[in-house]
Amino acid sequence: MKIARFIAAFLFATSLLAQEVKVPDAEQFVGRPEGQPVSGAMLDQKTNETAGMLRCPVCQGMSVADSPSEMAVNMKHQVRELIARGYTQDQILRYFERSYGQFVLLKPKFQGVNTLVWILPILALIVGIIAIFSMMGKRAGGQPVDDAPPAEGAEGSDDPYLAEVRKLTGKQS
Amino acid sequence: MRRTEILIAGAVITAALVWILSAGLGKDPQHIDSPLIGKPAPDFALKQVGTGDTVGLAQFRGKPVVVNFWATWCRPCYEEHPVLVANAEMMKNQVQFVGVVFQDKEEKIQQFLNERGSAYPTLVDVGGKTAIAYGVGGVPETFFLNRDGKVVAKFEGPIDPEALQQNVRKAMAQ
């Protein structure tokens, strides 16, 4: 009798379990929360900050924090829920990156081809600064730039054209 | 630094920037390469439209699964629905098809299925968490899972019979 009751209870429990709705959870992919649960104003602030780092996948260059689309709203709700549970910003970004790839990160990571995005502007700035200082140095050194007009009355010039002019006009150098 | 050297440096930097920017010109800005390919599919168990039963991925383990994300407000989903239904009926012993609907209302989904027919469970993703876990950017999107529950392919947009068969073969082979 006891065994029959136990089996009935077990079957009832398993039937309840079978009915349970289960959605994919962050814990399955990025482990347990590594931070402390957050609530109140801090939760709003952290949600906006993290959602602002995620790209809305159905919009053109908008963050999850700024987009009014239903997809972005759902993502923002999930960010909020994860922060409330104690997930860190790094864990949350990793969770979304696992599904959407680096596309979902508004700030590209410093790796692969993305490295050029970080390096090229700095390189361009350095080349620009060198070019400006190089030009300034030339001017300060009194050397005329290639296409500048020659100084008036340059007596010591060895320009054959000027020598010919002086010869014709009777002026000796 | 001479003027020619500065010009060469500027040209190299400009060429690199143009190359980076032009690499993305021919691409669909909404296309997302799925990082889930080769990884275990995110597990889910959701309510089935019509019956209210909970249907989960786990119960189909050992069989290739086609997971189709769609919605009644999505026009291309109307186009691919007959393709999915016909193939699900044709391959019902070899492959399990599952529809996951998000950002939608159950009455509308039920009406859609009543009018256009159904051959596999259609589940409701309330809150869109399942779609987010699969990296869905827009509907329709279809994921192909092998017998071990790993994602082997993803198809964006309304699927045609050729692409469906090709990806199903991939799921059955791996």
Side-chain angles (χ1 to χ4, degrees):
Chain A
M1 191 67 181
K2 274 185 180 177
I3 292 170
R5 274 186 192 166
F6 175 76
I7 290 170
F10 177 76
L11 287 174
F12 179 67
T14 49
S15 71
L16 281 180
L17 280 175
Q19 292 300 312
E20 198 181 334
V21 168
K22 178 187 170 191
V23 288
D25 189 65
E27 193 171 329
Q28 189 187 343
F29 309 108
V30 291
R32 290 177 171 276
E34 289 169 3
Q36 294 299 316
V38 179
S39 61
M42 183 64 88
L43 177 59
D44 293 338
Q45 188 200 324
K46 285 196 167 192
T47 301
N48 280 326
E49 194 184 307
T50 308
M53 299 172 90
L54 293 168
R55 185 194 305 273
C56 163
V58 294
C59 319
Q60 295 287 346
M62 277 181 101
S63 77
V64 164
D66 298 331
S67 170
S69 77
E70 200 169 339
M71 174 62 94
V73 169
N74 284 341
M75 287 171 82
K76 196 174 172 182
H77 278 155
Q78 198 165 5
V79 168
R80 188 181 173 85
E81 184 199 306
L82 293 172
I83 292 171
R85 284 166 60 189
Y87 278 92
T88 62
Q89 188 176 79
D90 177 59
Q91 281 184 297
I92 294 168
L93 294 181
R94 270 194 286 132
Y95 172 66
F96 282 95
E97 192 189 340
R98 192 196 176 277
S99 308
Y100 290 96
Q102 281 200 37
F103 164 87
V104 82
L105 305 176
L106 276 174
K107 193 173 158 187
K109 279 186 168 179
F110 190 79
Q111 63 181 49
V113 181
N114 289 348
T115 316
L116 292 174
V117 178
W118 292 92
I119 289 175
L120 279 178
I122 298 166
L123 199 67
L125 185 69
I126 291 168
V127 169
I129 289 170
I130 291 170
I132 289 167
F133 274 97
S134 166
M135 284 173 148
M136 283 170 69
K138 273 185 183 174
R139 281 175 196 250
Q143 290 178 3
V145 289
D146 296 347
D147 53 355
E152 200 179 326
E155 294 292 318
S157 169
D158 55 356
D159 187 334
Y161 175 74
L162 275 178
E164 186 65 23
V165 170
R166 284 191 190 107
K167 192 179 163 187
L168 289 171
T169 55
K171 191 178 176 184
Q172 295 302 313
S173 56
Chain B
M1 190 182 277
R2 294 230 306 267
R3 181 172 294 178
T4 46
E5 288 168 333
I6 294 168
L7 282 173
I8 289 168
V12 168
I13 291 168
T14 310
L17 281 172
V18 168
W19 175 70
I20 290 170
L21 296 172
S22 63
L25 277 180
K27 287 183 180 172
D28 175 3
Q30 297 300 319
H31 169 77
I32 305 167
D33 286 323
S34 179
L36 291 177
I37 307 292
K39 291 184 182 160
D43 197 16
F44 61 82
L46 303 169
K47 288 272 180 208
Q48 184 175 353
V49 177
T51 65
D53 294 340
T54 305
V55 175
L57 264 190
Q59 66 198 73
F60 305 126
R61 200 53 50 86
K63 202 174 178 184
V65 182
V66 176
V67 184
N68 173 248
F69 287 89
W70 67 283
T72 61
W73 45 263
C74 146
R75 283 288 130 190
C77 299
Y78 286 68
E79 193 185 314
E80 71 167 8
H81 186 71
V83 176
L84 291 163
V85 170
N87 279 275
E89 280 173 351
M90 195 171 73
M91 297 184 284
K92 63 183 172 190
N93 295 325
Q94 300 106 51
V95 181
Q96 178 65 50
F97 282 63
V98 179
V100 179
V101 189
F102 75 111
Q103 298 173 7
D104 216 328
K105 289 193 168 71
E106 200 165 337
E107 312 85 70
K108 285 188 176 179
I109 305 165
Q110 188 61 69
Q111 191 187 338
F112 179 100
L113 296 174
N114 289 342
E115 288 169 5
R116 291 173 173 78
S118 175
Y120 50 87
T122 297
L123 317 176
V124 192
D125 182 23
V126 180
K129 280 185 180 173
T130 306
I132 291 170
Y134 276 79
V136 173
V139 280
E141 275 187 24
T142 309
F143 291 81
F144 297 84
L145 282 48
N146 69 8
R147 287 182 181 83
D148 303 326
K150 275 188 183 168
V151 180
V152 296
K154 171 193 170 187
F155 189 90
E156 288 175 5
I159 199 156
D160 52 83
E162 291 77 27
L164 183 64
Q165 282 296 325
Q166 187 189 339
N167 285 305
V168 162
R169 276 197 295 273
K170 207 186 280 183
M172 291 172 91
Q174 289 182 26

